[in-house]
Every structure is written in C-alpha cells, then in structure tokens.
C-alpha cells in the first residue's frame, strides 16, 4: 500500500518538473526541483491480522543522498510515544520509552531500516512514522496500523427453534447475512478489548425452507455455514400445523360417527325392550 503512496508522490514530483521545465529556464528549474523534492511526506493505512508478522518500511533513499539518521516514532493508545533512532556516522541505535519487545528493527538498521512487529497484537493499533534524514533532506512515511481479529463463527439451533449465527470476538465487527432471508434479530456486543461479538437469531415462517445458510463477512476472510431446519415430523410433505388440523378434523369426524352409532345402538336396544 505504501508503494502506492510513494508512486503518487513521485507522480506529483514528475508533473511539477514537467510544469517547471515547460515554463522556465534551467537555472530556475534546478532551484525549483531542489525545493520540491525536499520534504516528502505520506501516510498510508495498513491492516494486519493478529498473530502475524508485520514489516513497515521507510522511504527509500535516492542514490545521490547520504543517510544521516533514521527515526521511527511509534504512537500507541495508552502508551508514551516510543522512538527508535539510528545514527549513521556513529553506527548507533537508540530507543526511548520503548517497552514493547515485539516491536524492533527488522534487521540491522545499517542494512535495512524497516520496523518489525512480531507477533502483531491487538494493542499494536496506532501510528508508526519513519523519518529518514539524508544530505538531500527529510523524508517521512507514516502508517496507520489497524489490527484485525478474525471472529469465531458458530451456527446452532435453540430449544425454541430459532437458529443462531454467532461471530464471536472479531475486530472490526463482522457482518452476518442469511440465505434465504428470515425474520432476524441481530445484536452487537463490544467485549472491551476492541473486539465485538455479533449474533443474529432468525426464524422462518415459510415451512418449505428446510436448510438455511449463514454468511459471515470479515476483512480477515468470509465464512459460510449451513444447518438443516428441525421442525418436527413432516408427513407426506405436510408441515406440522397442517398435519394437526387434519388429525383434529379426522378425530372430530370419528367422534361424531361414534356418537351417531352409539345413539342408533341404544335406540335399537330400547326398541327391542319395548
Ligand atoms: C533565467 O531566468 C532568470 C530570471 O527568471 C534570468 O535572470 C536569467 O538570466 C535566466 N537565465 C538564462 C540562462 O536564461
Ligand atoms: C499523517 O498522519 C498524522 C497522524 O494522524 C498526521 O498528524 C499528519 O498530518 C499526516 N500527514 C499527512 C501528510 O497526511
Ligand atoms: C517519552 O514519553 C514521554 C511521556 O509520555 C513523552 O512526553 C516523550 O515525548 C517520550 N519521548 C520520546 C522520545 O518519544
Ligand atoms: C554497525 O554496527 C554493527 C554492530 O552493532 C556492525 O555489525 C556493523 O558492521 C556496523 N556497520 C558499520 C557500517 O560500521
Ligand atoms: C477479547 O476479549 C474477549 C472476552 O474477554 C476474549 O474472549 C478474546 O479472546 C479477547 N481477544 C483478544 C484478541 O484479546
Ligand atoms: C467477503 O464478502 C464481502 C461481501 O459480503 C465481499 O465484498 C468480499 O470481497 C468478500 N471477501 C473475500 C475475501 O471473499
């Protein structure tokens, strides 16, 4: 992503140079070019899944420039800002306020001044900025790091028949959708450590629905789970409620016939006695 930022910075420089050379003479152009190339600053946003390794790189140094210092400034929420610096002339590194052992130079800063976070944790959300000081000026690249936590997805049926799809402890909150759509109720519960549990419980009025799928979409990847609807005994394709009505009607008819037969029987006995 930062390559993109760098590319656009380069494009701006190129277009400025074209404008300058088209309208002025060479001595002026040299002066303009120098002032435009100097401080180059860009920010990019970066998303990383928790428990992976992240490597943040510094702006590259142009061939003619000579490195003086590299400084990483790390600003995390609820922590003092930490600074890691490397001085080329003395070949020394320094760290101020840096207590987190999982954030370090990627390799030897004299070779590669990138910063490494290994493993990435939820507390690493923040702003990381590399400042490169060279004989040709200062260059900055900032990263807004957002740590992602994949949710744990489960799908189950409650005793009352509702189907529940749950995406637990995801960061950011996951999105839940159903196929086919049902009568759903979705709630989000923040867990305090920036993760959120999303739970959607649904019912389907249409009794022809025999299987439903829950799709969970998240920046760390999408998941889909299916479950067969358990709606009691289904006889001859009739759903339970229809079946009950049929049984009831049949039973009522049987009762009426029984009463009529009984009545006729007693009438006969009475007639015989008489
Ligand atoms: C360049 O431009 C400046 C002012 O714009 C002028 O004084 C100078 O003579 C020009 N130089 C040449 C080589 O044309
Ligand atoms: C980069 O982000 C930092 C922190 O949010 C902000 O202070 C700075 O102005 C931004 N720089 C650019 C060039 O957008
Ligand atoms: C060290 O932490 C203090 C207190 O939060 C802060 O004021 C200071 O700027 C930090 N120093 C560096 C070099 O980041
Ligand atoms: C810088 O210091 C490291 C050890 O701290 C050493 O291995 C390396 O050779 C030094 N580099 C230069 C250019 O002096
Ligand atoms: C966030 O908090 C919840 C509830 O305490 C816990 O289950 C989960 O593992 C935590 N997640 C992380 C990434 O620390
Ligand atoms: C996940 O699903 C969303 C929409 O539901 C889609 O935009 C995205 O591209 C999907 N991501 C992956 C990695 O398949």
């Amino acid at each position: 992503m930062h390559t993109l930022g760098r590319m656009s910075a380069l494009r701006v420089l190129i277009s400025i140079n074209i404008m300058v050379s088209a309208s002025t003479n060479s001595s002026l152009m040299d002066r303009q070019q120098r002032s435009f190339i100097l401080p180059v600053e860009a920010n990019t946003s970066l998303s990383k899944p928790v428990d992976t390794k992240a490597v943040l790189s510094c702006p590259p140094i142009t061939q003619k420039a000579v490195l003086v210092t590299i400084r990483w400034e790390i600003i995390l929420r609820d922590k003092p800002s930490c600074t890691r610096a490397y001085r080329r002339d003395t070949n020394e590194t320094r760290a101020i306020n840096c207590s987190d052992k999982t954030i370090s130079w990627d390799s030897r800063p004299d070779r590669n001044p990138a910063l490494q976070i290994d493993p990435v944790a939820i507390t690493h959300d923040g702003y990381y900025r590399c400042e490169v000081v060279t004989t040709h000026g200062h260059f900055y690249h900032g990263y807004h790091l957002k740590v992602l936590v994949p949710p744990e997805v489960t799908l189950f049926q409650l005793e009352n028949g509702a189907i529940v799809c749950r995406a637990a402890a995801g960061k950011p909150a996951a999105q839940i959708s159903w196929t086919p759509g049902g009568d759903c109720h979705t709630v989000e519960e923040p867990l305090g450590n920036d993760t959120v549990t999303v739970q959607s419980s649904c019912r389907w009025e249409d009794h022809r629905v025999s299987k439903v799928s829950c799709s969970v979409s998240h920046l760390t990847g999408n998941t889909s789970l299916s479950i067969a609807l358990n709606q009691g005994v289904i006889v001859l394709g009739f759903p339970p409620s229809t079946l009950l009505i049929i049984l009831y009607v049949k039973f009522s008819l049987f009762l009426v016939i029984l009463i009529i037969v009984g009545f006729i029987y007693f009438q006969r006995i009475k007639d015989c006695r008489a």
Side-chain angles (χ1 to χ4, degrees):
M1 233 180 224
H2 69 278
T3 338
L4 211 92
R6 225 181 274 151
M7 291 277 288
S8 55
L10 204 71
R11 229 173 270 140
V12 169
L13 279 177
I14 289 167
S15 59
I16 289 166
N17 285 345
I18 290 168
M19 269 164 48
V20 168
S21 54
S23 61
T24 56
N25 67 27
S26 63
S27 69
L28 187 63
M29 187 184 132
D30 279 348
R31 234 182 299 146
Q32 296 264 20
Q33 221 175 24
R34 240 177 273 135
S35 62
F36 277 120
I37 286 175
L38 299 184
V40 175
E41 183 155 1
N43 280 337
T44 47
S45 23
L46 186 67
S47 293
K48 278 282 169 189
V50 75
D51 291 332
T52 58
K53 173 177 163 176
V55 175
L56 314 183
S57 47
C58 288
I61 298 160
T62 54
Q63 282 176 341
K64 281 182 198 159
V66 174
L67 176 64
V68 179
T69 56
I70 303 260
R71 247 161 52 92
W72 274 101
E73 195 180 354
I74 300 154
I75 302 167
L76 306 179
R77 202 175 50 195
D78 314 325
K79 274 195 190 146
S81 78
C82 141
T83 301
R84 284 182 183 279
Y86 169 72
R87 261 183 77 163
R88 183 61 194 263
D89 59 348
T90 56
N91 190 28
E92 275 175 353
T93 58
R94 284 216 300 165
I96 304 161
N97 288 350
C98 305
S99 53
D100 192 334
K101 293 275 182 289
T102 58
I103 305 177
S104 61
W105 293 101
D106 181 41
S107 57
R108 285 204 346 235
D110 56 320
R111 284 193 187 156
N112 177 15
L115 193 73
Q116 149 185 305
I117 311 171
D118 190 21
V120 172
I122 213 164
T123 48
H124 290 143
D125 259 9
Y127 183 62
Y128 299 74
R129 190 176 76 155
C130 180
E131 177 191 19
V132 176
V133 179
T134 73
T135 49
H136 280 53
H138 294 231
F139 301 85
Y140 301 91
H141 198 106
Y143 297 87
H144 291 282
L145 179 68
K146 208 165 91 182
V147 179
L148 309 175
V149 183
E152 193 179 310
V153 181
T154 47
L155 179 63
F156 51 93
Q157 181 161 29
L158 296 180
E159 264 174 38
N160 67 15
I163 306 290
V164 176
C165 186
R166 180 207 274 265
K171 179 176 178 297
Q175 232 107 60
I176 297 180
S177 59
W178 293 89
T179 323
D183 176 13
C184 301
H185 176 63
T186 304
V187 287
E188 290 192 4
E189 184 200 352
L191 301 181
N193 55 7
D194 281 351
T195 65
V196 181
T197 293
V198 184
Q199 180 166 312
S200 178
S201 56
C202 304
R203 290 177 177 282
W204 283 264
E205 294 307 327
D206 184 347
H207 293 286
R208 282 165 303 184
V209 175
S210 59
K211 187 183 152 199
V212 296
S213 303
C214 142
S215 299
V216 175
S217 62
H218 194 260
L219 289 174
T220 56
N222 299 338
T223 317
S224 185
L225 294 178
S226 299
I227 193 170
L229 291 190
N230 175 18
Q231 294 192 322
V233 198
I234 295 173
V235 179
L236 294 171
F238 291 117
S241 54
T242 317
L243 202 71
L244 272 181
I245 293 167
I246 293 169
L247 280 178
Y248 181 75
V249 169
K250 278 187 177 170
F251 184 72
S252 308
L253 264 174
F254 178 71
L255 218 64
V256 168
I257 291 166
L258 204 72
I259 289 167
I260 291 170
V261 168
F263 185 74
I264 292 168
Y265 181 75
F266 280 112
Q267 211 67 36
R268 282 267 177 85
I269 289 174
K270 228 191 269 174
D271 285 350
C272 281
R273 289 221 182 111

